[in-house]
């Protein structure tokens, strides 16, 4: 109804992580999409060591090449962390991929942080604003982290699973 006023449709959600079950095991992949690989121009790398260029130019280019290498490394590390976090999450939440929200298990970020070997704050930043495509649909990655309770039969159950069963 707001289209008459706003005229712009809402953007779609593009998943940052894709997970599927292959022979009963969750397989996590990160879509590359249309993003080209990051690289440093060969001409800039050459200029950084070119003795015929003046000293100030070489120092300037070297500094920027160093910064570019750091940025490329940081982007690759961020992708690797996201991959490891998603793998750790779906090792625990494997049943979700088969049955849905009703079987979510409690999963504190601290547990995943211990498995991945990073600080809890890193896990929080890693999953913030990220979406995962599963065989059951697209969900916020943060949804898979929650507290829970223990059922009468001693099974750990996430609060979202309790809510789903009540609905």
């Amino acid at each position: 109804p707001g289209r008459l006023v706003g005229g712009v449709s809402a953007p779609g959600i593009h998943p940052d992580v894709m997970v599927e079950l292959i022979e009963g095991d969750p397989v996590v992949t990160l879509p590359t999409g249309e993003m080209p690989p990051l690289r440093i121009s060969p001409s800039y790398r050459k200029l950084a060591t070119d003795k015929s260029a003046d000293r100030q130019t070489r120092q300037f280019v070297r500094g920027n090449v160093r910064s570019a290498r750091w940025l490329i490394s940081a982007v690759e590390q961020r992708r690797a962390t996201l991959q490891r976090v998603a793998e750790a999450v779906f090792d625990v939440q494997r049943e979700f991929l088969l049955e849905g929200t009703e079987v979510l298990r409690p999963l504190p970020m601290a547990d995943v942080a211990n498995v991945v070997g990073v600080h809890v704050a890193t896990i929080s930043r890693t999953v913030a604003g990220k979406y995962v495509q599963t065989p059951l649909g697209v969900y916020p990655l943060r949804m898979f982290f929650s507290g829970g309770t223990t059922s009468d039969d001693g099974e750990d159950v996430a609060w979202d699973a309790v809510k789903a069963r009540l609905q």
Side-chain angles (χ1 to χ4, degrees):
R3 189 176 296 181
L4 296 174
V5 177
V8 179
S9 61
I13 294 174
H14 299 283
D16 303 283
V17 177
M18 297 168 61
V19 64
E20 58 186 328
L21 278 176
I22 297 179
E23 297 179 9
D25 293 324
V27 176
V28 174
T29 56
L30 303 180
T32 55
E34 298 175 9
M35 187 175 99
L38 297 175
R39 63 180 181 80
I40 299 171
S41 168
S43 61
Y44 283 112
R45 284 188 300 196
K46 184 179 176 184
L47 183 58
T49 59
D50 187 4
K51 299 288 185 193
S52 64
D54 68 271
R55 183 172 175 256
Q56 240 182 344
T57 302
R58 279 196 322 261
Q59 285 179 337
F60 175 77
V61 172
R62 270 191 219 135
N64 287 319
V65 166
R66 199 171 22 255
S67 295
R69 283 188 179 130
W70 179 87
L71 177 66
I72 291 169
S73 173
V75 169
E76 289 172 357
Q77 183 178 356
R78 185 176 182 183
R79 287 182 55 83
T81 300
L82 179 59
Q83 174 91 25
R84 291 190 342 254
V85 166
E87 287 170 352
V89 166
F90 287 102
D91 280 346
V92 174
Q93 304 291 13
R94 177 184 320 232
E95 295 300 314
F96 167 85
L97 300 171
L98 295 169
E99 300 177 40
T101 310
E102 291 184 7
V103 294
L104 278 174
R105 299 194 177 281
L107 182 61
M109 285 188 184
D111 291 357
V112 174
N114 289 335
V115 170
V116 175
V118 296
H119 194 274
V120 176
T122 302
I123 300 296
S124 181
R125 286 190 308 273
T126 299
V127 302
K130 302 288 189 299
Y131 289 87
V132 59
Q133 179 178 323
T134 71
L136 302 175
V138 178
Y139 297 92
L141 190 51
R142 190 173 289 274
M143 179 188 100
F144 297 96
F145 295 94
S146 69
T149 187
T150 305
S151 66
D152 290 339
D153 59 356
E155 181 183 354
D156 289 334
V157 182
W159 291 124
D160 285 343
V162 173
K163 290 177 193 174
R165 289 178 186 173
L166 288 173
Q167 285 180 340

